[in-house]
Amino acid sequence: MSIQTRLTEFFAIEHPIILAPMTPAAGAELAEAVTEAGALGLLGGGYAEREQFTRESAKVRRKDIGAGFITWALAKDPGLLDVALEQHPRAMMLSFADPAPFARRIKDAGVPLICQVHNLDQALRAAEVGADVVVAQGTEAGGHGMIARSTMPFVPTVVDALASRAPKVMVAAAGGISDGRGLAAALMLGADGVLMGSRFWATQEALIHPKAKAKVVAASGDETVRTSVYDIVRRREWPSGYTGRLLRNEFIEKWHGREAELEAMKNEELARVETAWEAGDYDTANVTVGESIGLIQDIPRAGELVKRIAAEAEFALSRYSPGSLVVAA
């Protein structure tokens, strides 16, 4: 048995799983491995830093790889979108701002548009500007997002709203999903599939230091926090309401809640963070993952992981297929 949804049919993929376009984790090797296994791989475009994106883009050998960018950052180098559309036309994902400024260019290029959203207004706006897929991300997710909605109630809210207003728009669930049980649960909530970040962050192909991956395997979901300390240090001017979910460490413990003081010290602290990143010191450098890390127990190859998640989801769903339900008297 394989799980077929509108998402698998639309993209002609085997499994209703999308790789989150994380930067730096989702480089060419990871995106290709996920796609090779029958899911949808997206190359991380992140802050639209041209040198980094073009370096990884040049390594991609497949034509069925998409890409994704932080929308407000892409506005600083809008020409990079044209490069991405030409080289990675499988899909284009926009996150963390109104997609309208770029939506028409993407649609006119004949490229499917995926928009990540964090509240209902954003979901309706994404549908309005032509999104083919809306990613409903709960606050459990790793990396940037809003302290707005959790995945379990948010996903069906978006599903219901779009079913009545834009029924052709598909929904992918994101946030706290790292195994087949999460995929099965998302489908039961009405989603057409899932977008996964933290679980693929902890794979062999991810462009992440082995020491950071080891910390995630040893950690629990209780050890993450939403914070803006690394954005302050790195001078990332995020829109109001957005913070990042990361694994707690000594740097966060020192500065979280003391953001005004950190602002005055950011030059000195940036040098310390960058040195730590190069050295693999994750007591100081950031580990950007979500609450689902408590379910991550190994660092597999990404292709093996896709097939594992699909098999787990199929098993979970088969337990409640017709004839398998037992109703207590």
Side-chain angles (χ1 to χ4, degrees), residues 56-304:
E56 285 303 311
S57 177
K59 299 176 185 177
V60 174
R61 298 161 295 176
R62 303 178 63 105
K63 292 296 186 183
D64 52 355
I65 301 291
F69 292 95
I70 294 170
T71 313
W72 59 263
L74 186 59
K76 299 178 180 180
D77 186 1
L80 187 57
L81 177 60
D82 296 319
V83 174
L85 290 172
E86 180 180 352
Q87 297 180 354
H88 308 293
R90 194 71 183 95
M92 193 60 53
M93 180 167 163
L94 301 176
S95 306
F96 312 118
D98 184 1
F102 302 107
R104 180 46 52 197
R105 285 165 61 186
I106 295 169
K107 300 296 290 183
D108 286 349
V111 174
L113 173 60
I114 303 172
C115 293
Q116 183 164 267
V117 303
H118 306 88
N119 58 47
L120 187 55
D121 286 344
Q122 291 178 355
L124 296 176
R125 176 60 170 166
E128 178 185 356
V129 302
D132 296 288
V133 182
V134 168
V135 177
Q137 177 181 293
T139 192
E140 302 95 322
H144 283 88
M146 303 185 83
I147 306 174
R149 303 292 300 275
S150 56
T151 304
M152 184 67 76
F154 183 42
V155 171
T157 299
V158 173
V159 168
D160 291 348
L162 295 182
S164 63
R165 303 189 195 190
K168 292 184 179 180
V169 179
M170 294 166 281
V171 177
I177 300 168
S178 67
D179 61 15
R181 293 172 296 180
L183 170 56
L187 297 176
M188 291 300 96
L189 294 175
D192 299 285
V194 296
L195 179 135
M196 301 174 68
S198 297
R199 178 62 271 205
F200 285 115
W201 189 98
T203 57
Q204 293 181 31
E205 293 89 345
L207 293 177
I208 297 297
H209 197 290
K211 290 183 179 179
K213 296 177 186 179
K215 286 184 75 70
V216 166
V217 170
S220 76
D222 295 334
E223 297 176 63
T224 70
V225 62
R226 299 212 70 92
T227 184
S228 60
V229 295
Y230 287 101
D231 294 331
I232 292 172
V233 164
R234 292 198 168 102
R235 302 179 180 85
R236 303 296 195 189
E237 297 178 1
W238 276 84
S240 176
Y242 288 99
T243 56
R245 184 175 292 282
L246 305 101
L247 185 64
R248 289 183 180 272
N249 62 8
E250 292 178 7
F251 186 86
I252 292 173
E253 294 299 332
K254 177 180 179 180
W255 291 113
H256 185 61
R258 299 172 59 202
E259 286 79 7
E261 295 175 61
L262 178 58
E263 184 71 35
M265 293 286 293
K266 61 186 178 185
N267 291 337
E268 295 85 345
E269 291 299 277
L270 175 60
R272 197 160 70 88
V273 167
E274 290 182 338
T275 298
W277 180 268
E278 293 297 328
D281 170 15
Y282 293 97
D283 288 331
T284 300
N286 55 296
V287 178
T288 307
V289 288
E291 291 183 11
S292 68
I293 60 171
L295 303 175
I296 296 174
Q297 308 297 329
D298 60 355
I299 311 294
R301 296 197 66 81
E304 297 169 2

